[in-house]
Amino acid sequence: MIILGFESSCDETGVALVELRDGARPRLLAEALHSQAAMHADYGGVVPELASRDHIRRVLPLTRQVLARAGIALAQVDLVAYTRGPGLAGALLVGAGVAVALAAALDRPALGVHHLEGHLLSPFLGAEVPQFPFVALLVSGGHTQLMDVRAVGDYRLLGETIDDAAGEAFDKSAKLLGLGYPGGPALARLAAFGDPEAYALPRPLLHQPNLDFSFAGLKTAVMTQVRKRGTNVCEQSRADLAASTQAAIVDVLVAKSVKALEASGTRRLVVAGGVGANRLLRERLDAAAARCGATVHYPPLELCTDNGAMIAIAAALRVRQGIAKPQRDGAFDVRPRWPLAELSSAGDRA
Ligand code: KG4
Ligand code: ZN
């Protein structure tokens, strides 16, 4: 089965071709991505209307690129997958509209996929395919969740953030440090030159027995430090504050992931979402997992942030599992707000 996947839920237009054959590892045939980060940077965050318009401009040229790179003709595509939600309504409608129209023109089925399920299943495109069951740490710009994953489509929420997401904490702290948007990677780069113990920043809910997170207080603490030091803060202090912020976020993510492994009784952790690209998080999770005899799986680095391949693989695995109902009627909808827990194995058009 060859799946063409479209991702357009936020500020990245992603298109990819994935091949899934019985008894073989899923294979990424080609992918192309356009990030709108530079376009939104002037505004300090994503402007929804600009995002939708840019998806329209990019989606077909990217599709042509992907087909050419893979040496695949449109007629060879068996299934067209798109992000149905959650995300920006207008942005989602672009990907969904193109995918469903293309599927209708090709007389192929189309399938809407949950964006977080895409992140969750993206490690299946990595070198080592994780075995079920596992605990998933989903850390993106909009979500921070720990899930107990029993099978494709069988997800139980163990804990989540009660306010800001981990990526949001990176982005907002980066903005306070004058690092622009999106700030996560920039903050991580600056942190490499700083002392992570220079500032005692809060680690909210760290010692609570539950598996929930809270990052809003951290942003306030960073703001207080920035204000205290004024605009003439030296480069070393900025690096120290970046390192201390990163350490606070990573400490909490690692501690709660270990607790989640204990709670679920499994020895496998899968990390997905943009913050999963963070090097310190990877090092600390690997070390913590080694101590408790667990293994950690990551998606390939380039598939941590939003992309079309994760949408294609999620659709492929749902279809193979027999829990998806691809559409052939040309109708579609999007779900800008769509809790992952609502994804039941009963079907996709709930
Ligand atoms: O999964 P993703 O691409 O988009 C959402 O679905 O939200 O995640 C984007 C988030 C942003 O907050 C970005 O700052 C963060 O992931 N991020 C990082 C790193 N790379 C991306 N945060 C920390 N360190 C990184 N290396
Ligand atoms: Zn995402």
Side-chain angles (χ1 to χ4, degrees), residues 164-301:
D164 290 353
E168 213 174 341
F170 268 105
D171 293 340
K172 287 180 175 171
S173 304
K175 198 170 176 180
L176 290 166
L177 286 164
L179 291 172
Y181 166 87
L187 189 143
R189 276 194 298 277
L190 182 60
F193 302 100
D195 172 6
E197 289 172 14
Y199 294 89
L201 297 175
R203 277 127 173 97
L205 307 187
L206 182 63
H207 299 297
Q208 300 283 320
N210 63 33
L211 296 170
D212 289 333
F213 304 87
S214 165
F215 291 109
L218 178 62
K219 167 196 63 193
T220 312
V222 173
M223 193 190 308
T224 308
Q225 292 299 336
V226 169
R227 290 220 174 117
K228 236 191 235 171
R229 269 147 194 86
T231 44
N232 280 333
V233 61
C234 74
E235 201 49 31
Q236 189 57 52
S237 297
R238 280 175 81 230
D240 287 346
L241 194 48
S244 303
T245 305
Q246 176 176 249
I249 298 170
V250 167
D251 269 358
V252 181
L253 293 176
V254 172
K256 295 276 174 168
S257 300
V258 169
K259 265 190 201 152
L261 283 172
E262 285 162 4
S264 73
T266 64
R267 302 281 82 190
R268 272 180 296 271
L269 180 70
V270 164
V271 183
V275 182
N278 185 272
R279 246 195 29 221
L280 181 71
L281 178 65
R282 288 181 173 222
E283 284 167 16
R284 295 278 313 280
L285 280 175
D286 287 342
R291 279 196 297 278
C292 61
T295 50
V296 194
H297 294 261
Y298 305 94
L301 209 55

Side-chain angles (χ1 to χ4, degrees), residues 7 9 115-116 119 140-141 273-274 304-306 310:
E7 155 62 31
S9 66
H115 179 84
L116 291 182
H119 277 303
S140 70
C304 276
T305 46
D306 293 350
M310 69 185 200

